[in-house]
Amino acid sequence: MDRRKPPSCGRFTLLLRNLFIAALAYAFVVEVLHVYQTGTISPFSKGPPKKSTGKGSKGGSLSGGVNWRLRPATLVESINDTFMGKRPDVDTCANYTKLIETCRGSLNGLEKMRNVYDCLDYLTHHEDDYFFVPENRPSATGPSYKSIEDAAPPSTHHIGDCPGPVQLYHTYWTGPATWRVELFVKAYLYTQNIPCSRLHVWLESDGFPNAVPDMMKDPLFAKFLPLVERGDLVLKAWKFPRRIPLPKGAIAEDPAYTKSLASKGSIRRTSGETRSPKAEVYIAEGVVRMEDGSEWLVLTERQMTFLPVAVSDAVRFIVLHLYGGVYMDMDVMLLRDMRPLLLTPDHNFAERWAVHSHPGDYNTAVMSLNANSSLSSYLVRGGIRMGLNFHPRIIGRMAWKDGRSEEFAMFETGLFDPIWGEFNWGREGRCTVPCFRDYGVAFQGTKGAIKDEWESYDGEPLSERVYQRELELRSRVSDSPSSSPEEAELVPVEAPAMERGDVDVTYGGKPYTVKEDKYPPNNRTLENFFRGSWSYHIHNQWAKHPQPNSWFDVAQKAHDGFLRGTRKNVYGESWAGPDIPAYDRWPEFD
Ligand SMILES: *[C@@H]1O[C@H](CO)[C@@H](O)[C@H](O)[C@H]1NC(C)=O
Ligand SMILES: *[C@@H]1O[C@H](CO)[C@@H](O)[C@H](O)[C@H]1NC(C)=O
Ligand SMILES: *[C@@H]1O[C@H](CO)[C@@H](O)[C@H](O)[C@H]1NC(C)=O
Ligand SMILES: *[C@@H]1O[C@H](CO)[C@@H](O)[C@H](O)[C@H]1NC(C)=O
């Protein structure tokens, strides 16, 4: 090797070079954060769509020059809410190998990774291929499980019996309830197997000790209190634990532990932890063994003082390690029953970071881990060891380097975030149905706001007949308050309630005309909203509220129709539970 001293000007060059490297590193970190937060690589990416600010005139309720109360909600002849068929049998499991190989291709080739259309097509039409009921039905394994026949269905005050293990769903939130919380909870209620699911909402309580009581008093959350009472929702105070229990033997399997044993020959006490009783022994950095043989991860005083900014990155790993189940960010809207994914033994999974090809590039917006497992212990310990850094791609690469990523399934974006491939590195094959090229468009209800929205739709053209009849009906209602037989047929269209006795059906505003409607009715129904995906990830691309007749508005109408007893859910079920008030109307659109 050449070991000559650098020339005299070398030091300055070296300084320049180091500065340059530092600047590059900084830019990289900023970009990674940006991509993480927005899901797009461009630093100039658009934020959420602009809201309309036009205030309606007093009592007139005008929106783009028409009366919103007369606006037809849809063009579709008859909305098919039950397009998923029957809910999967309570014992159904998913074959991860099939889901991965069909949507990814081979491990090295990743031939299908970018083709989300084909992945969704498979998920929609080939349940028979990737769902199976194991010979030893999970419902038959627990002595305390009710049989499928004897399990009580949910009712107003009782959540019902699950014939089999109950699955835990976790999410994390800071601050008061908002529309996002409502969308998340309602989509959960609309799609999941209610007696067999519990939703734990972890509220940041390290900085806000009253987070749970505050949420119980939150006016927006009030509509869900009957579900807290019934047990569907559990508000949990998130406080970073000082000690985390480990299952026996987990440490011995941890490569970092074996390595440290080999290199140091002995384990030193972690500095900073001063008040440990005699009865416990340090067996590895940050790990103690108690007298009773139990092993614990122990955070130092310093770590407890400087908790990470990205607490939510850590919460999911720790909560799943302690309780198991699935974690979802609050900006994930559920579309399908998750149970078959969670019932599968070794249900350890997360999604891929967009269409990154690295096998360690996980995204943890949707993640599942077996509680108290060797893998969950390894991941939690790894994050703590790296300075409480639980960024998914850091943790993921660590797991990959240590040869543990095979235990941690990586699902493609089609399963949980079907449009992520549209960004940055592009998709292959056809666009999805609907075709989105931007996260913001799900909020938009203006005419033509989503370019080529239906470009991949191959189904029967959607009829506009009911919409025409509805307009006729409305004009008739305004003429005569008597009921007509046609009115009864229109129930599935979900028209805003028109009071028989109301004389002034324009409510002081202009009569309805499509031409003047800023948010006209359209073809959108949940049936064509990323069929096959288990969820849609909003990626924090939030507008304040969805515009009328936007995709999210369509979802809201489906949720509310179900929760208020006028519509069925995607599995053809009726809501059996307390009455849940509808989403608020937002004055910005009146
Ligand atoms: C609803 O959609 C599903 C799946 O596309 C189909 O099997 C079912 O027959 C449809 N129901 C009606 C009433 O059209
Ligand atoms: C899952 O699919 C793989 C690949 O097709 C197959 O080899 C395996 O037997 C399946 N597992 C189950 C439990 O059906
Ligand atoms: C995990 O282990 C801890 C300590 O051993 C125990 O308290 C807890 O109940 C276990 N959790 C689950 C979900 O098994
Ligand atoms: C209705 O759906 C068809 C696809 O069948 C599409 O071509 C058409 O543009 C849609 N109309 C509206 C108003 O969205």
Side-chain angles (χ1 to χ4, degrees), residues 95 97-98 101 132:
N95 185 328
T97 315
K98 294 223 165 147
E101 287 177 358
F132 66 97

Side-chain angles (χ1 to χ4, degrees), residues 279-554:
E280 59 187 44
V281 189
Y282 276 83
I283 57 167
E285 189 192 337
V287 185
V288 299
R289 181 177 293 138
M290 308 288 285
E291 218 167 4
D292 63 4
S294 62
E295 292 168 354
W296 300 74
L297 286 173
V298 179
L299 270 71
T300 62
E301 293 293 335
R302 196 184 144 72
Q303 282 168 326
M304 289 306 293
T305 314
F306 300 100
L307 290 176
V309 182
V311 174
S312 89
D313 277 345
V315 173
R316 63 200 74 199
F317 283 96
I318 297 172
V319 159
L320 289 178
H321 169 67
L322 294 174
Y323 300 91
V326 62
Y327 172 89
M328 273 168 288
D329 278 335
M330 197 68 92
D331 64 345
V332 168
M333 180 167 82
L334 280 163
L335 300 173
R336 270 182 94 170
D337 192 347
M338 292 282 289
R339 185 172 177 82
L341 293 176
L342 306 179
L343 206 58
T344 303
D346 298 323
H347 53 88
N348 302 304
F349 68 79
E351 18 162 18
R352 185 185 293 281
W353 191 284
V355 286
H356 278 254
S357 55
H358 195 285
D361 278 353
Y362 291 89
N363 176 266
T364 53
V366 177
M367 171 164 74
S368 175
L369 292 174
N370 282 60
N372 281 343
S373 60
S374 158
L375 181 67
S376 71
S377 308
Y378 162 77
L379 294 171
V380 168
R381 181 157 187 250
I384 292 176
R385 213 181 42 236
M386 291 188 290
L388 296 185
N389 187 342
F390 284 90
H391 191 281
R393 293 174 72 187
I394 309 261
I395 292 273
R397 290 200 178 214
M398 170 194 80
W400 172 76
K401 256 197 270 168
D402 287 340
R404 299 205 65 164
S405 53
E406 264 172 51
E407 301 158 58
F408 191 24
M410 182 189 274
F411 287 136
E412 299 304 325
T413 55
L415 276 76
F416 303 117
D417 190 355
I419 67 166
W420 206 358
E422 288 295 320
F423 298 86
N424 311 345
W425 297 275
R427 109 184 93 86
E428 284 166 5
R430 302 176 69 183
C431 195
T432 47
V433 182
C435 181
F436 282 12
R437 296 191 173 87
D438 178 340
Y439 284 102
V441 295
F443 289 86
Q444 293 179 347
T446 48
K447 204 172 192 160
I450 313 180
K451 212 171 150 282
D452 304 324
E453 177 178 7
W454 294 97
E455 79 168 50
S456 296
Y457 177 78
D458 290 334
E460 294 276 304
L462 301 157
S463 160
E464 308 192 356
R465 197 165 60 99
V466 163
Y467 157 69
Q468 291 301 345
R469 288 173 51 205
E470 195 178 330
L471 276 188
E472 276 166 37
L473 178 79
R474 280 158 196 280
S475 58
R476 225 173 306 147
V477 169
S478 62
D479 295 342
S480 97
S482 70
S483 86
S484 73
E486 269 133 313
E487 213 167 334
E489 285 173 50
L490 282 169
V491 170
V493 181
E494 163 123 2
M498 275 184 288
E499 311 250 309
R500 216 43 55 74
D502 255 328
V503 187
D504 181 12
V505 292
T506 67
Y507 301 93
K510 290 191 206 170
Y512 182 82
T513 52
V514 203
K515 266 228 303 278
E516 288 173 64
D517 192 349
K518 208 162 145 196
Y519 311 110
N522 54 52
N523 281 342
R524 298 169 187 152
T525 65
L526 278 192
E527 185 179 3
N528 292 312
F529 189 70
F530 305 105
R531 265 305 272 294
S533 288
W534 269 274
S535 69
Y536 174 80
H537 187 186
I538 300 165
H539 267 269
N540 269 324
Q541 298 290 292
W542 298 95
K544 196 164 164 215
H545 296 125
Q547 293 173 345
N549 286 330
S550 61
W551 278 103
F552 285 156
D553 189 42
V554 166

Side-chain angles (χ1 to χ4, degrees), residues 76-302:
V76 179
E77 184 163 15
S78 160
I79 295 181
N80 183 354
D81 279 329
T82 70
F83 53 88
M84 297 285 276
K86 256 184 75 188
R87 184 184 292 279
D89 183 291
V90 70
D91 287 319
T92 304
C93 295
N95 185 328
Y96 285 13
T97 315
K98 294 223 165 147
L99 292 176
I100 290 172
E101 287 177 358
T102 312
C103 294
R104 178 196 67 192
S106 64
L107 182 56
N108 296 321
L110 307 176
E111 299 85 359
K112 304 177 192 167
M113 173 176 83
R114 292 161 187 269
N115 194 324
V116 184
Y117 181 93
D118 285 354
C119 174
L120 294 189
D121 188 67
Y122 173 76
L123 296 179
T124 305
H125 295 116
H126 297 280
E127 284 191 359
D128 286 353
D129 193 50
Y130 62 84
F131 278 169
F132 66 97
V133 174
E135 232 165 88
N136 294 323
R137 284 177 165 261
S139 64
T141 56
S144 59
Y145 300 145
K146 288 258 166 73
S147 71
I148 294 178
E149 302 76 44
D150 293 343
S155 60
T156 309
H157 298 291
H158 179 48
I159 191 170
D161 300 322
C162 181
V166 167
Q167 298 296 339
L168 299 183
Y169 296 63
H170 306 273
T171 186
Y172 167 84
W173 190 247
T174 309
T178 68
W179 173 76
R180 310 172 183 199
V181 175
E182 182 168 4
L183 183 77
F184 180 87
V185 173
K186 286 187 169 173
Y188 164 88
L189 298 171
Y190 183 66
T191 50
Q192 302 308 298
N193 186 330
I194 292 299
C196 292
S197 313
R198 302 290 182 273
L199 176 57
H200 287 184
V201 181
W202 292 90
L203 298 170
E204 175 54 46
S205 302
D206 270 322
F208 311 91
N210 291 325
V212 171
D214 284 353
M215 188 57 92
M216 293 293 285
K217 284 180 277 178
D218 190 298
L220 195 149
F221 193 74
K223 58 181 83 173
F224 297 123
L225 291 182
L227 292 175
V228 173
E229 187 137 313
R230 195 175 78 159
D232 298 61
L233 306 185
V234 187
L235 296 183
K236 310 271 274 182
W238 168 261
K239 289 201 169 119
F240 220 102
R242 185 170 288 266
R243 292 174 162 244
I244 299 166
L246 293 172
K248 282 220 170 75
I251 278 302
E253 284 170 33
D254 187 335
Y257 172 62
T258 8
K259 249 183 270 166
S260 74
L261 269 190
S263 64
K264 292 193 198 108
S266 71
I267 280 74
R268 272 175 301 134
R269 265 175 71 117
T270 315
S271 60
E273 176 69 21
T274 48
R275 285 170 298 142
S276 57
K278 280 267 167 344
E280 59 187 44
V281 189
Y282 276 83
I283 57 167
E285 189 192 337
V287 185
V288 299
R289 181 177 293 138
M290 308 288 285
E291 218 167 4
D292 63 4
S294 62
E295 292 168 354
W296 300 74
L297 286 173
V298 179
L299 270 71
T300 62
E301 293 293 335
R302 196 184 144 72

